[in-house]
Amino acid sequence: DAGVTQSPTHLIKTRGQQVTLRCSPKSGHDTVSWYQQALGQGPQFIFQYYEEEERQRGNFPDRFSGHQFPNYSSELNVNALLLGDSALYLCASSSADSSVRRSPLHFGNGTRLTVT
Amino acid sequence: QQPVQSPQAVILREGEDAVINCSSSKALYSVHWYRQKHGEAPVFLMILLKGGEQKGHDKISASFNEKKQQSSLYLTASQLSYSGTYFCGTVNTGNQFYFGTGTSLTVIP
């Protein structure tokens, strides 16, 4: 049973460029959430996708956008990269039938993005 | 919205006990606890659903005081493998999930 997978594992980009990160949820899960974790900080919620729509969004600018595909996989896009976007980006999957109130989030190993 | 954890960091010798606290300014429905080792994804430890509920997992247990909007994680007889950063995650009545500020735990021989 495959867990949450993310790609790529590492990425180096230059300021002003655009980046796309990918996530495949755990088998049986239909909801994907994205988090940004700066070094030494806790994960910060970016947004959540369910049924191919953004359901919830954290306090992130419009440069951060996403998409969910019919197979429940998801992409995170960041435009006009800033140095401050350097972070570990985590994807977490869950099942809408098993609310986050009662069920754990399952995380991928993340994508380490470095912006130079 | 982000819950505040205390202490920020703690160093223990093997066999010692520790308590990590998580406090929210919002009414909570449930509290999660996760442990993250350096360079790895957070790993789920437990969820507490009801006010006053306590749960245990090996020598790690937790309590949730719904009225005070607080949760505590108890680590007893700590082992080297307990080292990592511990995060609480709170779910408010609007079903929004927020990670806490984190507590770095280091267990030394």
Side-chain angles (χ1 to χ4, degrees):
Chain A
D1 179 20
V4 180
T5 58
Q6 292 186 241
S7 64
T9 55
H10 294 83
L11 205 51
I12 300 174
K13 290 286 189 179
T14 304
R15 273 183 301 176
Q17 287 187 318
Q18 177 264 344
V19 69
T20 298
L21 311 181
R22 295 176 176 82
C23 172
S24 291
K26 178 180 169 66
S27 178
H29 286 182
D30 54 11
T31 302
V32 173
S33 302
W34 286 92
Y35 292 84
Q36 180 195 65
Q37 186 174 26
L39 201 60
Q41 305 294 317
Q44 300 293 315
F45 176 68
I46 303 175
F47 43 54
Q48 181 187 77
Y49 275 84
Y50 170 63
E51 291 188 328
E52 302 179 47
E53 289 190 9
E54 183 181 296
R55 296 294 179 167
Q56 292 186 30
R57 189 178 184 92
N59 188 27
F60 278 80
D62 292 344
R63 298 187 297 108
F64 290 77
S65 63
H67 188 76
Q68 185 179 36
F69 299 93
N71 67 353
Y72 308 122
S73 67
S74 176
E75 288 181 349
L76 163 65
N77 301 293
V78 186
N79 293 324
L81 285 167
L82 304 174
L83 295 179
D85 294 332
S86 295
L88 179 67
Y89 289 84
L90 294 165
C91 167
S93 74
S94 56
S95 170
D97 288 342
S98 304
S99 166
V100 70
R101 290 183 172 193
R102 300 179 182 82
S103 298
L105 295 173
H106 294 261
F107 286 89
N109 286 328
T111 294
R112 173 70 64 185
L113 173 65
T114 302
V115 182
T116 62
Chain B
Q1 297 267 22
Q2 184 178 30
V4 177
Q5 292 182 228
S6 63
Q8 286 186 313
V10 59
I11 299 175
L12 301 174
R13 292 197 179 275
E14 270 186 296
E16 291 182 337
D17 302 339
V19 180
I20 300 172
N21 300 301
C22 172
S23 181
S24 173
S25 61
K26 300 285 186 181
L28 301 177
Y29 189 90
S30 63
V31 178
H32 299 215
W33 283 97
Y34 293 82
R35 176 171 61 212
Q36 185 178 28
K37 294 188 180 282
H38 183 68
E40 300 179 8
V43 172
F44 169 75
L45 295 176
M46 65 187 78
I47 289 179
L48 300 109
L49 297 176
K50 300 178 183 178
E53 183 183 19
Q54 293 195 28
K55 295 188 74 171
H57 173 70
D58 195 10
K59 292 178 181 172
I60 300 175
S61 61
S63 63
F64 175 28
N65 188 319
E66 184 181 353
K67 288 184 179 178
K68 291 185 177 180
Q69 297 163 190
Q70 294 175 346
S71 178
S72 294
L73 185 72
Y74 307 95
L75 301 102
T76 58
S78 59
Q79 306 167 16
L80 294 176
S81 62
Y82 286 2
S83 293
T85 301
Y86 289 78
F87 293 100
C88 64
T90 57
V91 183
N92 61 26
T93 51
N95 250 11
Q96 293 170 314
F97 180 94
Y98 291 94
F99 276 102
T101 50
T103 296
S104 173
L105 180 80
T106 303
V107 181
I108 58 175

